[in-house]
C-alpha cells in the first residue's frame, strides 16, 4: 500500500508540476530558461515513473486479488466446506479490517479527487492548467476504480460462504 501511495503522489505531483511548467512556458511573453527545461524534465520523469509503477501495481494486484478470491471461494464451490449463515457476516465485516478499510478510504478520496479533476476539465477545457488537472482527474479515477475493484472482488470471494447470496446470485443467472 505504501508503494501505491508513493507512486500516486509521485505521479500526481509530477504531472501537475510538469504540465504546469509546460503551460507556463507556452504562455506568450514568457522567457524560458534552461533551468525551467531541467525542472520540467525532472517532474516528467517523476510523472512517468509514478504512472508506470501504478500500472504495474494494478496488473499485479488484479492477478493477486483474482487468485485470493478464487482461493476463498474454492472450498465452498468444491463442496469441502458448508455454507453457513455466518458467511454473511464475514463477507460484510471484512470491510472493517484495517488493510481493507485503508484501501476503501484511499480509493474514496482518490475517486473524489478524480471527479473534481474531470469537472475542472469540463469547466475550462481550453486552459492549459484545466487540461493538466483533467489528466490528473482521469488518473485518479482509474486509481480509485482499480482499488475498489480489488476490494469488491475480495468481498465477492468471501460471499461464497453466504448461502443466501449464492441462491440470489444463481437465481439471477438463470434469468
Amino acid at each position: 500500500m505504501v508503494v501505491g501511495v508513493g507512486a500516486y503522489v509521485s505521479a500526481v505531483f509530477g504531472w501537475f508540476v510538469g504540465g504546469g511548467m509546460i503551460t507556463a512556458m507556452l504562455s506568450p511573453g514568457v522567457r524560458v530558461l534552461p533551468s525551467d527545461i531541467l525542472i520540467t524534465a525532472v517532474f516528467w520523469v517523476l510523472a512517468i515513473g509514478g504512472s508506470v509503477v501504478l500500472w504495474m501495481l494494478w496488473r499485479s494486484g488484479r492477478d493477486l486479488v483474482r487468485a485470493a478470491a478464487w482461493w476463498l471461494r474454492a472450498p465452498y464451490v468444491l463442496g469441502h466446506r458448508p455454507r453457513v449463515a455466518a458467511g454473511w457476516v464475514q463477507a460484510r465485516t471484512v470491510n472493517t479490517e484495517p488493510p481493507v478499510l485503508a484501501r476503501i478510504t484511499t480509493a474514496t478520496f482518490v475517486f473524489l479527487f478524480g471527479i473534481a479533476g474531470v469537472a475542472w476539465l469540463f469547466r475550462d477545457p481550453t486552459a492549459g492548467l484545466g487540461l493538466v488537472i483533467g489528466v490528473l482527474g482521469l488518473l485518479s479515477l482509474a486509481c480509485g476504480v482499480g482499488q475498489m475493484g480489488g476490494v469488491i472482488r475480495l468481498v465477492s470471494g468471501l460471499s461464497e460462504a453466504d448461502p443466501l447470496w449464492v441462491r440470489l446470485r444463481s437465481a439471477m443467472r438463470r434469468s
Side-chain angles (χ1 to χ4, degrees):
M1 176 119 174
V2 175
V3 174
V5 170
Y8 176 76
V9 168
S10 171
V12 167
F13 196 56
W15 286 112
F16 185 73
V17 175
M21 288 289 290
I22 288 178
T23 301
M25 288 189 288
L26 292 177
S27 298
V30 173
R31 196 177 82 137
V32 178
L33 300 172
S35 61
D36 296 335
I37 296 170
L38 180 66
I39 290 169
T40 303
V42 167
F43 280 100
W44 276 101
V45 167
L46 271 177
I48 293 170
S51 299
V52 166
V53 170
L54 285 172
W55 174 262
M56 292 178 356
L57 284 172
W58 172 72
R59 292 200 45 191
S60 63
R62 181 186 59 182
D63 294 340
L64 288 171
V65 169
R66 186 178 293 150
W70 178 87
W71 190 259
L72 290 168
R73 188 176 281 124
Y76 302 103
V77 172
L78 297 174
H80 297 298
R81 200 178 290 168
R83 294 180 174 98
V84 293
W88 185 89
V89 175
Q90 184 182 14
R92 272 82 190 155
T93 57
V94 73
N95 291 329
T96 60
E97 292 181 12
V100 177
L101 186 61
R103 281 171 176 74
I104 291 171
T105 304
T106 56
T108 302
F109 284 128
V110 165
F111 198 76
L112 287 173
F113 183 66
I115 290 170
V118 171
W120 189 315
L121 174 66
F122 283 112
R123 182 183 145 275
D124 193 12
T126 58
L129 192 58
L131 184 62
V132 170
I133 292 176
V135 168
L136 292 179
L138 292 174
L139 175 75
S140 297
L141 285 174
C143 289
V145 167
Q147 274 190 304
M148 282 307 291
V151 170
I152 290 169
R153 188 175 290 257
L154 180 68
V155 171
S156 173
L158 285 169
S159 294
E160 196 68 36
D162 179 13
L164 177 62
W165 174 249
V166 172
R167 273 183 283 175
L168 288 172
R169 190 182 62 214
S170 63
M172 297 303 279
R173 285 184 184 160
R174 285 186 228 138
S175 300

